[in-house]
Amino acid sequence: MDIEKLNQYRSTVKLIEKDKKRLEKWESYRPDAVFGKTKGSGSQFPYTERSFPVNGAYEFHGNKDYTKKIQDLKCKIQSSINKSFENKIEVEDFIESIENKSHKLVFIGLFLEGKTQEVVAKEVGYADRSNVSKIVGKYLPQK
């Protein structure tokens, strides 16, 4: 385990939530109609150029390129969710493996709850944040 993964834990959790919402959006997305405009001329002389609004039903299942792009996007989002979930599990597993209860509380406060070292030190009962830094340094490899 390294400090980077621990620091990214809360962002990872948020990313999972956002990716799930994006995935739900794309899974339920079905465009009803297409709107646009085209150019042409009037039917009578003088034939002056003008624009015409157009719209029509969208054949969602008939558009293979569009369907493939949506499917690729959904696969990428699902892959992101899976990778983020693996990172989340790894962090939580690491913290659960800490046997000392006060040390575990330090890691939970700092990395899972996002509290400052000062707040964690007070909650756990240490004199100052230097004790918290020492505990974190004890479990994480130095670069």
Side-chain angles (χ1 to χ4, degrees):
M1 183 57 53
D2 61 16
I3 193 80
E4 280 295 316
K5 273 194 179 163
L6 288 168
N7 284 331
Q8 291 179 359
Y9 176 84
R10 291 187 314 125
S11 297
T12 299
V13 171
K14 288 179 185 176
L15 182 63
I16 291 170
E17 291 171 11
K18 289 193 180 289
D19 280 348
K20 283 182 179 178
K21 287 179 185 174
R22 288 175 52 217
L23 189 60
E24 287 173 12
K25 179 188 108 180
W26 283 110
E27 286 177 344
S28 65
Y29 181 71
R30 300 287 188 266
D32 296 329
V34 176
F35 300 94
K37 66 180 183 177
T38 187
K39 291 184 179 182
S41 64
S43 60
Q44 309 239 338
F45 185 80
Y47 303 110
T48 54
E49 185 178 301
R50 56 183 231 191
S51 297
F52 299 95
V54 293
N55 61 42
Y58 185 79
E59 294 182 32
F60 183 78
H61 297 291
N63 190 337
K64 291 179 182 176
D65 288 340
Y66 184 78
T67 304
K68 180 165 177 17
K69 286 180 183 177
I70 296 294
Q71 191 62 36
D72 288 347
L73 181 61
K74 289 186 332 188
C75 286
K76 287 178 184 176
I77 293 171
Q78 186 61 52
S79 176
S80 175
I81 290 171
N82 293 345
K83 185 176 179 182
S84 296
F85 194 72
E86 287 172 13
N87 289 341
K88 179 181 183 244
I89 297 285
E90 186 179 345
V91 168
E92 291 183 9
D93 187 47
F94 169 75
I95 292 174
E96 281 304 311
S97 71
I98 299 172
E99 292 181 17
N100 185 307
K101 303 289 186 215
S102 60
H103 293 183
K104 186 183 285 190
L105 287 172
V106 166
F107 275 86
I108 289 171
L110 283 177
F111 300 108
L112 302 190
E113 297 172 354
K115 297 177 181 176
T116 64
Q117 288 186 354
E118 291 85 5
V119 171
V120 171
K122 286 179 185 174
E123 287 181 352
V124 179
Y126 294 122
D128 59 16
R129 70 177 201 88
S130 66
N131 297 73
V132 173
S133 295
K134 289 175 186 173
I135 290 168
V136 171
K138 176 181 174 183
Y139 288 92
L140 300 176
Q142 300 299 318
K143 290 185 178 182

